[in-house]
Amino acid sequence: MAAATIVHDTSEAVELCPAYGLYLKPITKMTISVALPQLKQPGKSISNWEVMERLKGMVQNHQFSTLRISKSTMDFIRFEGEVENKSLVKSFLACLDGKTIKLSGFSDILKVRAAEFKIDFPTRHDWDSFFRDAKDMNETLPGERPDTIHLEGLPCKWFALKESGSEKPSEDVLVKVFEKFGEIRNVDIPMLDPYREEMTGRNFHTFSFGGHLNFEAYVQYREYMGFIQAMSALRGMKLMYKGEDGKAVACNIKVSFDSTKHLSDASIKKRQLERQKLQELEQQREEQKRREKEAEERQRAEERKQKELEELERERKREEKLRKREQKQRDRELRRNQKKLEKLQAEEQKQLQEKIKLEERKLLLAQRNLQSIRLIAELLSRAKVPGGSLCSRQPRPGCPQCPPLKCGRRHGAVSPPAAAVATKPALMPRMTAPSREGVALVCRSR
């Protein structure tokens, strides 16, 4: 369906349901054809926009509500124009039909033909002949006779409940709008049935050129007269909506009689059975999805638990590795300290051994000095001087208690012969010089 257009003149509008702001407005469309000449020069073309502007200029003191190109070929351009009121159509046709257009750069003249738009709407003869000739129709049964209207291109927002705040159409609103023509037996909006698209394989959510969501509906009247009045009222009309602010918009809708037994008892029962099967199938799918979801949740829980165990195991291994590393560090530190201690003890032991050796050497030297002193003292005591006697107490060199050293011989005494000393050579050991301590010790002993 075409997009909704703004309506400036609502004087010809007919009330349909003022409570919901719905009206019927006559369709004021016309068809304009412009014959194109043969283009003799290559590379030269006729601008559709220029032709459209020339058509707009041919209408004096009036303007088109809409003017669009419906078909364009090498021989002609066909336009569809719409005006505000039905009364303006004749004046527009008088200004356009049979006239010519002269385009700049072209010597040929373009001829214009205009006529009132032929509305595609079924007549009483169409549905009477259809149901009379149809072999699978029983005119005594509802839905198999001319009692149902099929409407397409209805804007969803215009048939929605105002207090609901939703833009979905309502069957209650549809009944209130069309019960003006007679008592309604049944209505159906396939868009509201969530299983209808799956049952029929059709998409009932359609959009107009302006982006508005449209829907289709079936309205079944209880009496034939209601059907006749509704079809007569909708013939050559488009639907108009007038808001609370006074602004009006209109859109074209497609109206036809139902030839598919859509609201017959058999079709309704068949759809109910199919809906029931689909509901059961949906319940099974939901149950399957629920089981699959539970299985996935269990699997995720197991995976999560497994991950936690793996994480704990990794953490344990990390702690064990860290503990081993710390133990190795402690062992290395202990061995290092042990080596340091052993090295220190060895150094102390070595120093002690050296000190012991030094003390032993000192002791040995002292013993040797003492032995040498004793030997010297013995030698001196045994020494005899001929022709005189030595002093009873002879001073020793270096002894602080002895008097100064004096000559131990008597003046005129003769030294003992060398032969007397040489008589005992074996008694003279190899000795070191007596120390001061040894000499002092000998002096004190005397």
Side-chain angles (χ1 to χ4, degrees):
M1 292 292 98
T5 57
I6 299 175
V7 178
H8 300 284
D9 188 357
T10 60
S11 58
E12 295 181 352
V14 180
E15 290 185 356
L16 179 62
C17 185
Y20 287 91
L22 296 176
Y23 299 83
L24 295 176
K25 189 178 185 302
I27 297 175
T28 55
K29 296 176 70 175
M30 63 189 73
T31 304
I32 307 169
S33 298
V34 179
L36 301 179
Q38 294 292 332
L39 298 177
K40 299 178 181 179
Q41 297 181 1
K44 204 169 186 180
S45 61
I46 296 176
S47 172
N48 294 342
W49 178 82
E50 185 178 358
V51 175
M52 184 183 295
E53 291 299 319
R54 290 297 180 89
L55 291 176
K56 291 180 180 179
M58 291 172 65
V59 183
Q60 300 175 357
N61 301 326
H62 297 292
Q63 62 180 0
F64 290 96
S65 298
T66 58
L67 182 63
R68 66 181 185 88
I69 299 173
S70 60
K71 189 175 183 181
S72 178
T73 65
M74 296 295 294
D75 299 327
F76 66 91
I77 305 174
R78 183 174 299 160
F79 298 88
E80 286 185 2
E82 189 171 358
V83 296
E84 284 291 338
N85 294 324
K86 190 76 172 178
S87 59
L88 295 176
V89 175
K90 292 183 179 181
S91 61
F92 271 72
L93 293 178
C95 295
L96 296 173
D97 190 27
K99 300 298 187 294
T100 58
I101 297 175
K102 180 68 172 63
L103 297 178
S104 60
F106 293 91
S107 58
D108 297 335
I109 297 175
L110 283 64
K111 294 182 180 180
V112 180
R113 300 291 298 178
E116 191 172 353
F117 183 77
K118 187 179 180 181
I119 300 171
D120 183 17
F121 198 91
T123 62
R124 183 169 183 172
H125 173 73
D126 294 335
W127 61 71
D128 284 343
S129 60
F130 175 81
F131 286 103
R132 184 180 63 248
D133 299 336
K135 296 180 180 180
D136 58 341
M137 296 287 185
N138 186 359
E139 294 189 13
T140 61
L141 299 176
E144 300 183 24
R145 59 193 180 192
D147 60 358
T148 304
I149 300 176
H150 183 204
L151 302 162
E152 295 181 81
L154 299 173
C156 294
K157 193 173 182 180
W158 297 0
F159 289 84
L161 289 171
K162 295 181 180 179
E163 60 273 9
S164 66
S166 174
E167 293 189 0
K168 284 188 176 182
S170 171
E171 292 183 353
D172 296 335
V173 176
L174 189 66
V175 170
K176 290 179 182 179
V177 171
F178 286 96
E179 67 181 359
K180 173 182 178 180
F181 307 107
E183 185 181 358
I184 294 177
R185 181 177 181 271
N186 199 356
V187 295
D188 182 43
I189 301 176
M191 175 185 175
L192 300 179
D193 188 355
Y195 304 99
R196 193 67 58 89
E197 292 184 2
E198 191 172 354
M199 286 190 291
T200 60
R202 292 176 55 196
N203 183 14
F204 295 100
H205 296 72
T206 59
F207 290 87
S208 66
F209 182 75
H212 299 288
L213 184 62
N214 297 333
F215 71 100
E216 63 174 295
Y218 295 86
V219 180
Q220 186 183 58
Y221 288 92
R222 192 173 295 277
E223 300 293 338
Y224 180 64
M225 287 305 298
F227 172 78
I228 293 293
Q229 291 178 10
M231 293 296 286
S232 300
L234 295 173
R235 185 186 303 275
M237 294 289 187
K238 58 183 178 180
L239 192 62
M240 187 183 80
Y241 174 78
K242 191 173 182 180
E244 296 178 357
D245 55 357
K247 296 181 180 180
V249 290
C251 69
N252 293 317
I253 60 174
K254 185 178 180 180
V255 182
S256 62
F257 63 92
D258 178 36
S259 60
T260 61
K261 300 190 290 187
H262 184 79
L263 290 180
S264 63
D265 295 338
S267 298
I268 294 173
K269 186 175 180 181
K270 182 180 178 181
R271 284 196 297 271
Q272 289 177 351
L273 292 175
E274 291 179 357
R275 188 181 298 107
Q276 185 177 359
K277 290 180 181 179
L278 290 175
Q279 288 176 350
E280 294 176 356
L281 183 61
E282 185 179 6
Q283 290 178 357
Q284 293 177 1
R285 286 197 294 262
E286 290 179 355
E287 183 66 22
Q288 181 68 20
K289 287 181 180 179
R290 186 183 62 80
R291 289 196 295 267
E292 291 177 356
K293 187 176 180 180
E294 291 179 354
E296 290 178 359
E297 290 179 354
R298 286 195 299 270
Q299 184 177 0
R300 283 197 295 268
E302 293 177 358
E303 292 177 355
R304 188 164 52 251
K305 186 176 180 181
Q306 184 67 23
K307 287 182 180 179
E308 291 177 356
L309 292 176
E310 292 176 357
E311 185 66 25
L312 291 175
E313 182 66 20
R314 285 195 295 269
E315 186 66 24
R316 187 189 64 79
K317 288 182 178 179
R318 278 197 301 270
E319 292 178 356
E320 183 68 23
K321 188 176 180 180
L322 184 61
R323 190 164 53 252
K324 288 182 178 180
R325 186 182 302 168
E326 293 176 353
Q327 184 65 31
K328 287 182 179 179
Q329 290 180 355
R330 286 195 297 270
D331 293 344
R332 284 197 297 269
E333 188 69 23
L334 184 62
R335 288 194 298 271
R336 192 179 298 113
N337 295 334
Q338 185 70 24
K339 286 181 180 180
K340 288 181 180 179
L341 182 61
E342 291 177 356
K343 186 177 180 180
L344 185 61
Q345 290 178 354
E347 291 178 356
E348 292 179 353
Q349 187 70 22
K350 185 177 179 181
Q351 292 177 0
L352 182 61
Q353 292 292 335
E354 291 178 354
K355 188 178 290 185
I356 292 173
K357 288 181 180 180
L358 182 60
E359 293 297 328
E360 288 180 351
R361 182 173 180 78
K362 287 180 179 181
L363 180 61
L364 180 60
L365 291 175
Q367 290 177 355
R368 287 182 180 178
N369 289 335
L370 183 60
Q371 290 176 1
S372 62
I373 291 170
R374 288 178 180 176
L375 181 59
I376 291 173
E378 183 68 24
L379 290 177
L380 292 175
S381 63
R382 290 181 183 182
K384 292 180 179 181
V385 180
S389 61
L390 296 175
C391 297
S392 60
R393 185 178 180 180
Q394 295 181 1
R396 300 296 179 187
C399 180
Q401 296 180 3
C402 294
L405 185 62
K406 296 180 179 181
C407 179
R409 294 190 302 270
R410 206 185 288 123
H411 295 284
V414 182
S415 299
V421 178
T423 53
K424 297 179 182 180
L427 296 177
M428 296 296 292
R430 185 181 180 181
M431 295 183 298
T432 59
S435 62
R436 184 179 298 176
E437 291 82 359
V439 175
L441 182 62
V442 172
C443 292
R444 284 194 299 271
S445 61
R446 289 183 179 184

